[in-house]
Amino acid sequence: MSKTNPGHFFEDFQLGQELVHATPRTVTEGDGALYTALYGSRFAVSSSAEFARALGFRGAPLDDFLVFHVVFGKTVPDISLNAVANLGYARGRFGVPVYAGDTIRTTSRVIGLKETSSGKTGVVYVNSVGTNQLGEVVCDYVRWVMVHKRDPQTPAPDPVVPDLPERVGPEDLYVPEDLRLAGYDLELAGSPHLWEDYAPGERIDHVDGMTLEEAEHMMATRLWQNTAKVHFNQFEQAGGRFGRRLVYGGHVISLARALSFNGLGNAFRVAAINAGAHANPSFAGDTVHAWSEVLEAAPVPGRDDVGALRLRTVATKDRPCATFPHKDTDGRFLPEVVLDLDYWVLMPRHAALG
Amino acid sequence: MSKTNPGHFFEDFQLGQELVHATPRTVTEGDGALYTALYGSRFAVSSSAEFARALGFRGAPLDDFLVFHVVFGKTVPDISLNAVANLGYARGRFGVPVYAGDTIRTTSRVIGLKETSSGKTGVVYVNSVGTNQLGEVVCDYVRWVMVHKRDPQTPAPDPVVPDLPERVGPEDLYVPEDLRLAGYDLELAGSPHLWEDYAPGERIDHVDGMTLEEAEHMMATRLWQNTAKVHFNQFEQAGGRFGRRLVYGGHVISLARALSFNGLGNAFRVAAINAGAHANPSFAGDTVHAWSEVLEAAPVPGRDDVGALRLRTVATKDRPCATFPHKDTDGRFLPEVVLDLDYWVLMPRHAALG
Amino acid sequence: MSKTNPGHFFEDFQLGQELVHATPRTVTEGDGALYTALYGSRFAVSSSAEFARALGFRGAPLDDFLVFHVVFGKTVPDISLNAVANLGYARGRFGVPVYAGDTIRTTSRVIGLKETSSGKTGVVYVNSVGTNQLGEVVCDYVRWVMVHKRDPQTPAPDPVVPDLPERVGPEDLYVPEDLRLAGYDLELAGSPHLWEDYAPGERIDHVDGMTLEEAEHMMATRLWQNTAKVHFNQFEQAGGRFGRRLVYGGHVISLARALSFNGLGNAFRVAAINAGAHANPSFAGDTVHAWSEVLEAAPVPGRDDVGALRLRTVATKDRPCATFPHKDTDGRFLPEVVLDLDYWVLMPRHAALG
């Protein structure tokens, strides 16, 4: 019997099944430095332990998407090694901050199964939960992937599609109790614009562009111990659909988030992922730009120092975003659009700063 | 007089000579993160401090080959700056685990000298020993290199070729006394296969492939402070035999070891290097695959919770390993083979897990 | 109103103006590891905590130029986002050593302003000061940049050009009081040549060459949170003057400093930057070599264990430095010269080593 991991096929998943994913990971200051080197992130909370401590954090928390990528990476060998496509995300919530030295692990539960009409594949819905060494949730999300069947003849299971919210409610966003924004220094943060200064409908071109390199996306993806083959093996990809290695979609998410600093500099914390689409593939050599739209501005229950903004951030390849490129008249993503991410961020309110 | 290091020539080495190599190195969590980013290693002991502590380690030890590369890198300016070829390794033993914060240094002793028939070069055998700040051995190995003579007219020394064992005896493998494998979690480790499940003669295709990039192998090689010129200088290499920068052989070792997780996921510790050949050069753009053969399975004296497997891991370029490519009918390495490494790993036994 | 940073134009600067730059940065062992991976630095003080502690340091200080790049990077969004050219450096002094865990911030003061004859641009002189979390100065320097005017019609301010010294006086170099060089181990440092062994006029070819890669210079520049657009955006640069991304000048400084180990291995500390010119642009694919000339050798007041050397280090692209390439007969930099850096280093004296 082969000792290598063949991945799971559609038939291998059962409703309610619990998967304990391998390779717990102690994240370190080394991961933090690499994150800065790969994306150039400038949000002060993750950049400066002093800045973070002034707000009640224990130290500089690691970037929220770094946490997401680590939690996500563990699921790949069990969930998406035989995936045809990563179809969507929903109900993603970030939990307690993650600090250097914490150890992250992930478990997933199968919450939906639906064979596709072709009979050759099926869609698997999983709820993946990342926890730290104390068992506290650091990130919790649903994703669904299309997975090959081992055998097209296997009868289809009863279709179960979970009922997923369009977005996480603002009342469900996790805000650390110890967080006190009176200590937030706008000059050091690098932007004067606070929660009240953003209004639904507002669109922001993040201006800057960043070109992708093979060495960078591969180093990033390995750092998250994500084993999806399409990112690493040029010998095999040369004969594939694109002839190239595909960039991990999460790499583009982190890049877009880092670019969004220019216009959203006080969005110090990503609180939730409502939905996300990797609209088109990205490749080394592509230059990524991004723009954002404010979808909602919601107060955070019980707090007057911090508010939540629901954002759509769109990333493009080889196309600047001054005209906010998104979809065509038929509602299809433009070919230059590589990411459409719907998420909540936290931002200080004027009240906090006296 | 020039103040730059010309390296040593064959005439500069004397039997019994002791070389204290420069540049002691404090290894850190930053090195660990880079190691993961460069190779994507998933062995749980080095990935998770919690997992490691459950086995009696102080924390997550740094990867064994990271230690080897650091120990090895220090020897390059003194031993192999004028090397024509790295001919072989023998009797390599890993010692106490290395943790972030430890400081490594290396000394070498010349244990053999033999001029080659051309009279222009000679083979130098050195025993290099890496130690930590407490003087404990972390890695100890023999290698031999062919080195230029400064002057072909210099008379040859009496040839001395050390008597080197074909392999380290299983009784000589270092197993930390505090190691207790009862705490080993197979689910988190990511593989159900234990020591008893592997039999001599068994061959495993590690399936996955990884493409090499210039930025990656250069970053790795500099990280080990290895100064061998052929890896870094395209201007010079353009006029050389291959027209390209050569990838440090150790980079391929680490990549092959990381790929071997898929099939050998519980090989939590490399205990010894018996022999190794960099069969053909690797270059950026090559895609590395690997396969392994179990050469021996040996119990570890005095322990029923851990066993040793002697493995041959072969890495190839631009050739998948389903057919276990190795040598041609004349016993010569196939041109696609880039590494043949004979080494011991430790693996938990069923007894450990009750 | 746009929420993105348009950068400052010449009209936005006033004499005496104080700028508190954003994004304080806690530097870590992760940054140190990346620095080694990017440049291959081998100076023992920054490589080994044990070596450093033997000299009175608290641990291994981070590389001096790492500190410079972090301090400098913070100034870019406010000073040089609209810069036409980085014209020069002067009076740069390194202060207290920086250790992993320290948090660095930068403030700048405008000390000179002068419109250029075209009326379209002006030169801004700033004194930038980097401090740690205790408010201690870690790096303090002057640079001047040519910046676009927002409107060519704006009247010119009274020209003020600061009086800048040709070089920092040796009496002004910062030497940590606790530094005691009796513990300096020449064998571990990797060079036998001490302060007394270098004489003004001496020139050293550092021999080795290092080829630049896009992924490397971008990772480095992002690590310093330097946002200058020309380094990152190939889509935009494709239509620019060079058609390519430019390598951050500081990347070449660090590379040249690392190469200078071969010949200046005991220059354990950069104490001051007297002047510097990025003579020509560098691009990925260029191979960098370097040579140095000793400009002055000065004792350090009150100390017989350490001396100062004033060096000129010149870096080239695609040209080895055996013939010390520098300027043509008209005094212009040769087209292969990419860096001319005039700086002070500290080196142990024979007296220290008894």
Side-chain angles (χ1 to χ4, degrees):
Chain A
M1 244 283 326
S2 168
K3 291 191 171 75
T4 54
N5 176 22
H8 290 109
F9 291 87
F10 185 62
E11 294 93 328
D12 300 323
F13 294 99
Q14 282 102 41
L15 202 68
Q17 182 183 358
E18 195 88 27
L19 295 118
V20 175
H21 303 298
T23 320
R25 174 80 148 74
T26 303
V27 289
T28 70
E29 291 180 342
D31 297 304
L34 271 161
Y35 198 86
T36 305
L38 289 164
Y39 306 113
S41 183
R42 289 184 287 149
F43 294 97
V45 163
S46 288
S47 178
S48 165
E50 302 286 326
F51 191 95
R53 279 194 284 261
L55 308 185
F57 290 98
R58 259 204 288 132
L62 290 167
D63 189 278
D64 302 304
F65 282 117
L66 183 161
V67 173
F68 175 76
H69 299 323
V70 170
V71 169
F72 181 97
K74 317 220 149 310
T75 70
V76 170
D78 296 322
I79 305 290
S80 46
L81 212 60
N82 298 309
V84 185
N86 200 32
L87 298 174
Y89 304 98
R91 217 177 59 199
R93 253 175 103 247
F94 288 90
V96 301
V98 173
Y99 299 98
D102 285 351
T103 299
I104 296 176
R105 44 185 288 187
T106 309
T107 54
S108 295
R109 219 162 63 88
V110 179
I111 60 168
L113 288 171
K114 185 169 185 295
E115 189 167 297
T116 55
S117 54
S118 74
K120 295 182 187 159
T121 58
V123 178
V124 183
Y125 295 77
V126 292
N127 175 208
S128 298
V129 181
T131 50
N132 66 16
Q133 69 282 0
L134 303 173
E136 298 165 324
V137 173
V138 298
C139 183
D140 177 332
Y141 67 94
V142 171
R143 74 161 164 147
W144 52 109
V145 290
M146 188 184 296
V147 177
H148 282 293
K149 287 177 70 177
R150 184 176 283 109
D151 175 3
Q153 307 306 324
T154 316
D158 290 337
V160 175
V161 174
D163 192 28
L164 294 169
E166 186 208 339
R167 46 78 141 158
V168 175
E171 67 284 1
D172 289 331
L173 302 178
Y174 175 84
V175 180
E177 272 178 49
D178 299 344
L179 189 71
R180 39 183 162 81
L181 286 167
Y184 197 92
D185 184 322
L186 287 178
E187 233 170 359
L188 292 180
S191 163
H193 308 292
L194 297 177
W195 180 75
E196 289 87 349
D197 304 326
Y198 293 85
E202 180 174 355
R203 298 196 291 186
I204 301 163
D205 171 16
H206 300 305
V207 180
D208 305 306
M210 195 69 79
T211 303
L212 299 170
E213 297 293 327
E214 299 282 14
E216 292 173 4
H217 78 82
M218 291 204 301
M219 286 183 71
T221 311
R222 282 188 297 248
L223 191 61
W224 325 131
Q225 297 171 313
N226 179 326
T227 58
K229 297 161 196 277
V230 292
H231 309 313
F232 300 115
N233 186 332
Q234 182 56 39
F235 181 77
E236 191 169 281
Q237 290 302 109
R241 181 171 155 213
F242 301 107
R244 332 237 337 235
R245 281 164 279 176
L246 272 86
V247 172
Y248 163 51
H251 191 64
V252 176
I253 292 179
S254 282
L255 209 44
R257 163 75 174 155
L259 292 171
S260 80
F261 179 87
N262 197 356
L264 290 163
N266 290 321
F268 69 91
R269 163 90 170 159
V270 177
I273 296 172
N274 299 310
H278 302 297
N280 284 290
S282 300
F283 304 100
D286 290 348
T287 298
V288 174
H289 288 80
W291 64 272
S292 295
E293 178 174 359
V294 179
L295 300 177
E296 289 184 62
V300 169
R303 303 201 59 138
D304 67 353
D305 60 341
V306 59
L309 292 181
R310 182 177 163 207
L311 303 170
R312 173 193 311 291
T313 292
V314 174
T316 59
K317 54 180 175 185
D318 291 350
R319 175 160 174 187
C321 290
T323 59
F324 311 110
H326 193 210
K327 293 184 173 175
D328 64 18
T329 49
D330 295 329
R332 287 175 306 216
F333 287 116
L334 294 174
E336 304 96 321
V337 170
V338 292
L339 175 72
D340 180 331
L341 190 71
D342 177 339
Y343 61 113
W344 286 103
V345 295
L346 301 182
M347 210 181 260
R349 295 180 59 165
H350 282 288
L353 304 171
Chain B
M1 245 281 326
S2 168
K3 290 190 170 76
T4 53
N5 176 22
H8 290 109
F9 291 88
F10 184 63
E11 294 94 327
D12 300 324
F13 294 99
Q14 281 102 40
L15 202 68
Q17 182 183 359
E18 195 88 26
L19 296 119
V20 175
H21 302 299
T23 321
R25 173 81 148 73
T26 302
V27 289
T28 70
E29 290 179 344
D31 298 304
L34 271 161
Y35 198 87
T36 305
L38 289 163
Y39 306 113
S41 182
R42 290 184 286 149
F43 294 97
V45 163
S46 289
S47 177
S48 165
E50 303 286 325
F51 191 96
R53 280 194 283 260
L55 308 186
F57 290 97
R58 259 205 287 133
L62 291 166
D63 189 279
D64 303 306
F65 282 118
L66 184 161
V67 173
F68 175 77
H69 298 323
V70 169
V71 169
F72 181 97
K74 316 222 150 310
T75 70
V76 170
D78 297 322
I79 306 292
S80 46
L81 213 61
N82 299 309
V84 185
N86 200 33
L87 297 174
Y89 303 98
R91 216 177 60 200
R93 254 176 101 245
F94 288 91
V96 300
V98 173
Y99 299 98
D102 285 351
T103 299
I104 295 176
R105 43 185 288 186
T106 309
T107 55
S108 294
R109 220 163 63 89
V110 179
I111 60 169
L113 288 171
K114 183 167 186 297
E115 188 167 298
T116 55
S117 55
S118 74
K120 294 180 186 162
T121 58
V123 178
V124 183
Y125 295 78
V126 291
N127 175 207
S128 298
V129 181
T131 51
N132 66 14
Q133 68 281 0
L134 303 174
E136 297 166 325
V137 173
V138 298
C139 184
D140 175 333
Y141 66 94
V142 171
R143 75 161 166 148
W144 51 108
V145 289
M146 189 184 294
V147 178
H148 282 294
K149 286 177 70 177
R150 183 177 284 110
D151 175 2
Q153 306 305 324
T154 317
D158 289 338
V160 174
V161 174
D163 192 27
L164 294 169
E166 186 208 338
R167 45 78 143 162
V168 176
E171 66 286 358
D172 290 330
L173 302 178
Y174 175 82
V175 180
E177 272 178 51
D178 299 344
L179 189 72
R180 39 183 162 81
L181 287 167
Y184 196 93
D185 183 322
L186 286 178
E187 233 170 358
L188 293 180
S191 164
H193 308 293
L194 297 176
W195 179 75
E196 289 86 349
D197 303 326
Y198 294 84
E202 181 174 355
R203 296 195 293 185
I204 301 163
D205 171 16
H206 301 304
V207 181
D208 305 307
M210 194 68 81
T211 303
L212 299 170
E213 297 293 325
E214 299 282 15
E216 292 173 4
H217 78 81
M218 292 204 301
M219 286 183 72
T221 310
R222 283 187 298 248
L223 191 61
W224 324 131
Q225 297 171 312
N226 178 328
T227 58
K229 297 160 197 279
V230 292
H231 308 313
F232 300 115
N233 187 332
Q234 182 55 39
F235 181 78
E236 190 170 283
Q237 290 301 109
R241 183 170 154 213
F242 300 108
R244 332 236 340 233
R245 282 163 279 176
L246 272 87
V247 172
Y248 163 50
H251 191 64
V252 176
I253 291 178
S254 283
L255 209 45
R257 164 74 173 154
L259 291 172
S260 81
F261 179 87
N262 198 355
L264 290 163
N266 290 321
F268 69 92
R269 163 92 171 158
V270 177
I273 296 173
N274 299 308
H278 303 296
N280 285 291
S282 300
F283 305 100
D286 291 349
T287 298
V288 174
H289 289 80
W291 64 272
S292 296
E293 177 173 359
V294 180
L295 300 177
E296 289 184 62
V300 170
R303 304 202 56 138
D304 67 352
D305 60 342
V306 59
L309 292 181
R310 184 178 163 205
L311 303 170
R312 173 193 311 291
T313 292
V314 174
T316 59
K317 54 180 174 185
D318 292 348
R319 177 161 173 185
C321 290
T323 58
F324 311 109
H326 193 211
K327 294 184 173 174
D328 65 17
T329 49
D330 294 328
R332 286 174 306 214
F333 287 116
L334 294 174
E336 304 97 321
V337 171
V338 292
L339 175 73
D340 181 329
L341 190 71
D342 177 339
Y343 61 113
W344 286 103
V345 295
L346 301 183
M347 211 181 258
R349 295 181 59 166
H350 282 286
L353 303 171
Chain C
M1 244 278 330
S2 168
K3 290 192 170 76
T4 53
N5 176 23
H8 290 108
F9 291 88
F10 184 62
E11 294 93 327
D12 300 324
F13 294 100
Q14 282 102 40
L15 203 68
Q17 183 182 357
E18 194 89 26
L19 296 119
V20 175
H21 302 299
T23 321
R25 174 80 148 75
T26 303
V27 290
T28 69
E29 291 180 343
D31 298 303
L34 271 162
Y35 198 87
T36 305
L38 289 163
Y39 307 113
S41 182
R42 289 183 286 148
F43 294 98
V45 163
S46 288
S47 178
S48 165
E50 303 286 325
F51 191 96
R53 279 194 283 261
L55 308 185
F57 290 97
R58 259 205 286 133
L62 290 167
D63 189 280
D64 302 305
F65 282 117
L66 183 161
V67 173
F68 175 77
H69 299 324
V70 170
V71 170
F72 180 98
K74 316 221 149 310
T75 70
V76 170
D78 296 321
I79 306 290
S80 46
L81 212 60
N82 299 308
V84 185
N86 200 32
L87 298 173
Y89 304 98
R91 216 176 61 198
R93 254 176 101 245
F94 287 90
V96 300
V98 173
Y99 299 98
D102 285 351
T103 299
I104 295 176
R105 45 185 287 187
T106 309
T107 55
S108 295
R109 219 162 64 89
V110 179
I111 60 168
L113 288 172
K114 184 169 185 295
E115 188 167 297
T116 55
S117 54
S118 73
K120 295 181 187 160
T121 58
V123 178
V124 183
Y125 295 77
V126 292
N127 176 207
S128 299
V129 182
T131 50
N132 66 15
Q133 68 282 1
L134 302 174
E136 298 166 324
V137 173
V138 299
C139 184
D140 176 333
Y141 67 94
V142 171
R143 75 160 164 146
W144 51 108
V145 289
M146 189 184 296
V147 178
H148 281 294
K149 286 176 72 177
R150 184 176 284 110
D151 175 3
Q153 306 306 324
T154 317
D158 290 338
V160 176
V161 174
D163 192 29
L164 294 168
E166 187 208 339
R167 46 77 144 161
V168 175
E171 66 284 0
D172 290 330
L173 302 178
Y174 175 84
V175 180
E177 272 178 50
D178 299 344
L179 189 71
R180 40 184 161 80
L181 288 167
Y184 197 93
D185 184 321
L186 288 177
E187 234 170 357
L188 292 180
S191 163
H193 308 293
L194 297 176
W195 180 75
E196 289 87 349
D197 303 325
Y198 293 84
E202 180 174 356
R203 296 195 294 186
I204 302 164
D205 171 16
H206 300 304
V207 180
D208 305 306
M210 194 70 80
T211 302
L212 300 169
E213 296 294 326
E214 299 282 14
E216 292 173 5
H217 77 81
M218 293 204 300
M219 287 183 72
T221 311
R222 283 188 298 247
L223 191 61
W224 324 130
Q225 296 170 313
N226 179 327
T227 58
K229 296 160 196 278
V230 293
H231 309 313
F232 301 115
N233 186 331
Q234 182 57 37
F235 182 77
E236 191 169 282
Q237 290 302 109
R241 181 169 157 215
F242 301 108
R244 332 235 338 234
R245 280 163 280 176
L246 273 86
V247 172
Y248 163 50
H251 191 65
V252 175
I253 291 178
S254 283
L255 208 45
R257 164 73 174 155
L259 291 171
S260 80
F261 179 87
N262 197 356
L264 290 163
N266 289 321
F268 68 91
R269 163 90 170 158
V270 177
I273 297 172
N274 299 310
H278 302 297
N280 285 290
S282 300
F283 304 101
D286 291 348
T287 298
V288 174
H289 289 80
W291 64 272
S292 296
E293 177 174 358
V294 180
L295 299 178
E296 289 184 62
V300 170
R303 304 203 57 138
D304 67 351
D305 60 341
V306 59
L309 293 181
R310 184 177 162 206
L311 302 170
R312 173 193 311 291
T313 292
V314 174
T316 59
K317 54 180 174 184
D318 291 350
R319 176 162 172 185
C321 290
T323 59
F324 311 110
H326 194 211
K327 293 184 174 174
D328 64 19
T329 50
D330 294 328
R332 287 175 306 216
F333 287 115
L334 294 173
E336 303 96 322
V337 170
V338 291
L339 174 73
D340 180 330
L341 190 71
D342 178 339
Y343 61 112
W344 285 104
V345 295
L346 300 182
M347 211 180 257
R349 295 180 60 165
H350 282 287
L353 304 171

